[in-house]
Amino acid sequence: MPVTVVVARQAMVTEKIPVVGSLAAKETIQVHPFIQGQVIEHILVEAGQYVEKGQPLALLDTTDAHMLLDKNAVSILRAQAAVAVEASRLDVAMVTEAETRKVLERSRALQPRGAVSQQLLDEHQNAHARALAELGLARQSLALAQADAQIIARERKEIELTIERSTVRAPEKGLVLTRAARIGAMTSASSGPLFVIAKDAIVEFVAHVTETSFVRLREGMYADITLPGYSGPLGGILRLSAAELDPATRSGEVRIELDESNGLKPGIFARGHIIASARRNILLPGSAVKTVSGENSVFVVKDGVTDLRTVTIGARQDGSVEIMEGLSDGEMVVLKSGGFLKAEEKVRPVIATSGRPSAGNLAAAFPAAEEKEAVR
């Protein structure tokens, strides 16, 4: 009797792991205020805006800081005057010490000749000692005045830094995802960030895959992601996978860096697949494979006689089955392995015109049950 057969041919088989998830920022930056206990006066950006590094985001109240700055300006003038006074005193002390030293030196030179009495020499020595003490005191007073001036100058820098930090700025360029800052609110260390920024506005795909699929994933694998509103899938590369599985869900997180992220918004639902492996093997229509008690077989037609051949199957998708072992390239296989055929039966093979999968439909994935589990 005539039977329809297909010729077994090798083709490229691509195993795909289905993934379901959403878009998320590759790296988020939380912006907290440096100054605590200040009122927010102005909001300069909104969520959805792109900001540059250092760009002002919000302004805090600086009234108290400016009052301290004015007070510090007066303190600086007083400190400068004090330094000038002590410097003058030091000059006077230096002149006095120089004069008393000369007098003492002259008295010491004349005393051996009897021109200067011992009492007068002692008086000159005492005068010079007092001058030296006053000189040392003047130097210490000047150093103290200069130290006070430095402290006041440092206080001014701290006040100026407070005023500078009252402008909340973007630490890096990127996309403003959320704005929690509110006009009139008080900044606090216990509150959340005022702004959350997606660094460089880079968006990637984040998904959770089941345990059986997770162990097959490796960084660098290619992926295709389908987004709502886009005509075609976006390509991407598996950038990062979790170090461990969630013990509650038995799933692991994977992050896929997309080839193009301009215009993408975090939070969008998406689905796709990761290409786990690619190889060449024989592909047959699913109807050609007969499964009985867990054993897979096909009918091979050779010289007009059927031969029941046990085969090892691999991936399945779109009605096609991958044959790992048991079949050679070029052999004729019965298209529909029904119960009407038996081994060693004489038949007349008729080659099917469209029985073999086309070159554009050779992608294979894991069994449907696992795909459903991954989607859940």
Side-chain angles (χ1 to χ4, degrees), residues 218-240:
R218 299 291 183 274
E219 293 182 10
M221 289 182 172
Y222 187 79
D224 284 326
I225 307 300
T226 303
L227 302 174
Y230 284 79
S231 58
L234 291 178
I237 299 296
L238 180 59
R239 180 182 69 85
L240 184 66

Side-chain angles (χ1 to χ4, degrees), residues 62-335:
T62 58
T63 303
D64 293 342
H66 279 94
M67 292 178 63
L68 291 175
L69 194 64
D70 294 339
K71 183 179 179 180
N72 179 265
V74 177
S75 299
I76 288 178
L77 293 176
R78 295 179 61 181
Q80 290 174 349
V83 170
V85 170
E86 297 300 333
S88 299
R89 290 178 178 176
L90 177 61
D91 292 339
V92 172
M94 292 175 66
V95 171
T96 302
E97 188 275 335
E99 291 178 349
T100 56
R101 186 177 67 252
K102 290 180 180 179
V103 171
L104 177 61
E105 290 174 352
R106 187 181 303 110
S107 298
R108 285 176 177 174
L110 297 175
Q111 199 270 342
R113 302 176 187 176
V116 176
S117 64
Q118 182 64 40
Q119 181 180 359
L120 183 60
L121 179 61
D122 293 340
E123 290 177 358
H124 291 169
Q125 288 178 342
N126 293 336
H128 183 254
R130 286 194 298 270
L132 285 176
E134 291 176 357
L135 178 59
L137 181 60
R139 286 174 175 170
Q140 292 179 355
S141 299
L142 178 59
L144 182 60
Q146 291 175 339
D148 290 339
Q150 290 178 356
I151 292 175
I152 296 174
R154 184 175 296 275
E155 289 176 352
R156 184 176 185 84
K157 290 183 178 180
E158 292 178 355
I159 297 172
E160 292 174 345
L161 180 60
T162 299
I163 295 175
E164 171 62 24
R165 288 183 171 180
S166 295
T167 301
V168 181
R169 300 180 182 273
E172 296 288 344
K173 67 178 182 179
L175 178 68
V176 179
L177 298 179
T178 61
R179 173 179 75 86
R182 296 292 181 267
I183 295 178
M186 188 78 70
T187 58
S188 173
S190 60
S191 60
L194 299 183
F195 300 90
V196 177
I197 299 175
K199 183 180 179 181
D200 298 325
I202 298 177
V203 177
E204 60 185 9
F205 177 73
V206 181
H208 288 79
V209 298
T210 57
E211 181 177 9
T212 53
S213 301
F214 185 82
V215 296
R216 298 175 61 88
L217 296 178
R218 299 291 183 274
E219 293 182 10
M221 289 182 172
Y222 187 79
D224 284 326
I225 307 300
T226 303
L227 302 174
Y230 284 79
S231 58
L234 291 178
I237 299 296
L238 180 59
R239 180 182 69 85
L240 184 66
S241 59
E244 61 180 1
L245 296 176
D246 187 336
T249 61
R250 305 306 303 170
S251 63
E253 182 184 88
V254 295
R255 288 181 169 263
I256 297 174
E257 183 177 351
L258 301 175
D259 296 338
E260 179 62 41
S261 62
N262 291 336
L264 300 181
K265 302 297 183 181
I268 297 178
F269 175 82
R271 65 172 66 243
H273 56 261
I274 301 173
I275 300 177
S277 65
R279 57 183 179 272
R280 292 189 65 83
N281 263 330
I282 293 175
L283 282 174
L284 291 178
S287 60
V289 181
K290 181 179 181 180
T291 304
V292 178
S293 301
E295 187 176 89
N296 302 296
S297 59
V298 296
F299 280 105
V300 178
V301 178
K302 185 177 181 181
D303 298 332
V305 178
T306 60
D307 176 26
L308 185 61
R309 186 88 55 83
T310 300
V311 294
T312 302
I313 65 173
R316 295 175 180 264
Q317 185 176 329
D318 300 329
S320 301
V321 180
E322 177 190 12
I323 307 300
M324 307 287 291
E325 296 179 356
L327 198 61
S328 300
D329 186 74
E331 290 187 298
M332 290 189 297
V333 180
V334 177
L335 178 61

